[in-house]
Structures are given as structure tokens and as C-alpha cells.
Amino acid sequence: SAAPADAVRSWTSGEYLRYRSPPQHSSPKSRWRARDASRSTPAEATMSLKRVLVGVKRVVDYAVRVRVAGDGSGVELANVKMSMNPFCEIACEEAIRLKEKGLCEEAVAVSIGPKQAQETLRSALAMGCDRAIHITTDARLDQGGLDPLAVAQLLQKIVEKESPDLVLVGKQSIDGDHGTTAPMLAELLGWSQATFAASLNIDGTTAEVERETDAGTEVIKIQLPAVVSADLRLNAPRYPKLPNIMKAKKKPLEAVDAASLGVDLTPSIVVEGVAPPAARKAGVTVESVDDLVDKLKNEAAVL
């Protein structure tokens, strides 16, 4: 039979699923409220996932104005405020919500990086994750260090050990901006994947994911286990309460040496140098439209 006009064919199951255009007159907060109100309550849910693994990354805080190191080797990280990558924070929130709904038994946070990455993991534990795994390495994760493929291979080793039913990660990090770790991990595992998730609904052995696209959103259905990357509108992360921050200090945090996992950590991307953008020249005020046209034509040479 013919597909409905608002449907798109799923490449995973062959089913026709809904296609939605973005609402024209609603704010992100109102969309979050509407989506949160439609979520099932713990009383309605039935346990379908044993474990959810969520990847979190330590990055330069989004509010910090980054500076290039004096030697031009990269972004300056010394004495700079660091925090959890915003998209990883959204993924972490979604894993906790799945547990609160009774859809999974355990939420496990995993992070790769130096000793300070444990602070990021403690933040995930304070939000509500049950335990954490720290893959220790002193290599940079933004540029000139571990590339996305090495990160995906390290996460693959943890997935094989922990046997989760679902892996949640941010769609990208705000330092490297690669956005490729989730697809690479899914390919290495041979799992289903859904990127840029705006909503996630678990139903037994399948997941229905609404994906952000350039034309709006599309809804696809994938088989579990799967890798899902979180987009901005998936949820609004909570702020950990003080009692939960104190409890997080006692939750288990396992450290694993990255070198012991049998992954080649040699960078495949070499950064030749990093430089700040050239300073813009000061603008000038023109007296009339004719003066503006003249400058655009004769000085800027854009007309």
C-alpha cells in the first residue's frame, strides 16, 4: 500500500515511520516541557534494559573564551575551567531518566582522560549514574592526541566488558567538534545506531528515535542493542543537589589504564599548528548609501 504523505521509510526495519517538521511558533523550553510531559511514568514502564553505558567527556567550559598556547601547539588548557561536554551532559541525563522510569537497572558513566577526568565522572554520579569507569591516559583528546577512532575503540573494549543494552553519547564534543565517535563505535560493535536524537522511547527490544535533520525531524525505529547520540533538544539536564554530590563521592569509580586495552593510541591526525583568527579591522561610518556602495565596489571589491 502507498505510504502516507507524512511518512518516511525506515532503513532499519522497512517500516514507514512519521516525519515531522519543526514547530514554527514554540520555544526550545516549551518543546522540552511538551516532550517531558509525554514521557511514560515509572508505573507505566516495564524493565527492558539491564544496563545503559553513557560516555562523558571533560572539555573546556563552554563559557570560557579559549586561548591559543604560546607555542602554537593547540588550545591552552593550563589553569582553564573544565566541565562536562554539554551534549554528554544531555546523554547522561537521558540515561538517568531511563533508570528513573524503570526501563533499565543500571546507568554506568565512562570517560577517557587524565586524572582530572574523575571530576567529570563524579558530576555524572551526582546527577544519578550508579558507577563510573575512568580510562586513564595523559593524551590530549581535543587535537593532536587521541582521535575519534581511538576513542571509539577504547569504548568498544568497555562495551564488550560491561555488555550494555544501550550506549548513549553526545552527538559531538565542543572542543574537537568531530561528531564521529558514535557512528564509529556502532560500526565497530555491529550495532544499530541513531544520531542527533531529539527524543528516545524504548519498547522491549526496539527503540524509537526522533532525529534532528536539516529539514525538520524524522522518526526511526532501531533494534537494540544500539548506539544513540544525543542532540540539544533531547532533554534539559538537571543540576545535581548537594546531598547527591556528597553521595557521589562514595559511589564506585573504576580506573582502567588505556594502554592495557590493546588499542593503538598513536595519533592518526597530526596538528601542524594552531593560530588565533586575524584581528578584524575597525569599521568606518559612511555618510550616505552612495558612499557605502562606493566603498563596497572600490575598496572591498565585493560588488
Side-chain angles (χ1 to χ4, degrees):
S1 60
D6 61 346
V8 62
R9 190 173 180 83
S10 167
W11 56 84
T12 56
S13 63
E15 297 181 38
Y16 282 106
L17 300 172
R18 298 183 300 280
Y19 183 87
R20 304 190 185 107
S21 295
Q24 300 298 317
H25 303 289
S26 60
S27 66
K29 287 186 177 180
S30 67
R31 286 196 291 273
W32 284 334
R33 287 195 295 268
R35 182 170 291 119
D36 290 345
S38 66
R39 295 176 185 270
S40 60
T41 62
E44 299 170 340
T46 56
M47 188 74 67
S48 59
L49 305 175
K50 181 179 180 181
R51 182 174 296 115
V52 174
L53 190 71
V54 54
V56 296
K57 185 179 182 182
R58 178 176 180 263
V59 299
V60 175
D61 189 85
Y62 72 92
V64 171
R65 185 174 181 178
V66 296
R67 296 179 293 108
V68 176
D71 58 1
S73 60
V75 172
E76 181 61 66
L77 299 180
N79 301 316
V80 175
K81 181 183 178 182
M82 309 290 283
S83 61
M84 187 187 301
N85 179 52
F87 293 108
C88 296
E89 196 172 13
I90 294 170
C92 187
E93 172 69 24
E94 191 66 18
I96 296 165
R97 291 191 184 192
L98 289 174
K99 183 186 174 185
E100 290 175 343
K101 293 176 187 178
L103 290 172
C104 76
E105 297 179 14
E106 184 182 38
V108 181
V110 57
S111 185
I112 305 170
K115 182 179 180 181
Q116 293 85 345
Q118 293 188 10
E119 300 172 6
T120 304
L121 288 171
R122 292 295 179 191
S123 296
L125 294 173
M127 290 177 67
C129 287
D130 299 289
R131 57 188 177 91
I133 301 172
H134 178 205
I135 304 175
T136 60
T137 177
D138 291 327
R140 291 184 67 123
L141 277 81
D142 56 346
Q143 52 196 354
L146 291 184
D147 53 50
L149 178 58
V151 172
Q153 290 172 329
L154 289 171
L155 291 177
Q156 178 192 11
K157 299 297 183 181
I158 300 301
V159 170
E160 291 172 349
K161 175 186 175 184
E162 294 292 329
S163 300
D165 301 294
L166 177 67
V167 176
L168 289 169
V169 295
K171 71 168 185 177
Q172 67 192 80
S173 61
I174 61 173
D175 51 4
D177 270 331
H178 295 289
T180 55
T181 298
M184 286 181 173
L185 177 59
E187 178 65 22
L188 290 170
L189 295 169
W191 286 10
S192 306
Q193 63 171 298
T195 54
F196 313 115
S199 73
L200 173 64
N201 293 294
I202 305 296
D203 184 12
T205 60
T206 62
E208 187 177 276
V209 183
E210 181 181 1
R211 298 182 63 247
E212 299 276 0
T213 71
D214 291 338
T217 64
E218 65 178 2
V219 180
I220 63 171
K221 185 177 291 184
I222 58 176
Q223 291 291 323
L224 298 175
V227 179
V228 176
S229 67
D231 210 327
L232 178 66
R233 294 174 181 84
L234 182 58
N235 58 56
R238 71 193 66 191
Y239 290 101
K241 298 179 180 178
L242 181 58
N244 293 335
I245 294 175
M246 301 304 294
K247 291 177 183 178
K249 297 179 180 180
K250 298 181 179 180
K251 290 185 178 181
L253 192 158
E254 176 187 1
V256 179
D257 187 0
S260 68
L261 296 176
V263 174
D264 184 6
L265 304 180
T266 305
S268 59
I269 302 173
V270 178
V271 177
E272 298 291 344
V274 178
R280 296 181 61 182
K281 296 181 180 179
V284 296
T285 302
V286 295
E287 299 295 333
S288 66
V289 174
D290 291 337
D291 291 340
L292 174 62
V293 173
D294 179 68
K295 288 183 178 295
L296 291 175
K297 183 176 182 180
N298 299 316
E299 294 185 17
V302 295
L303 293 180

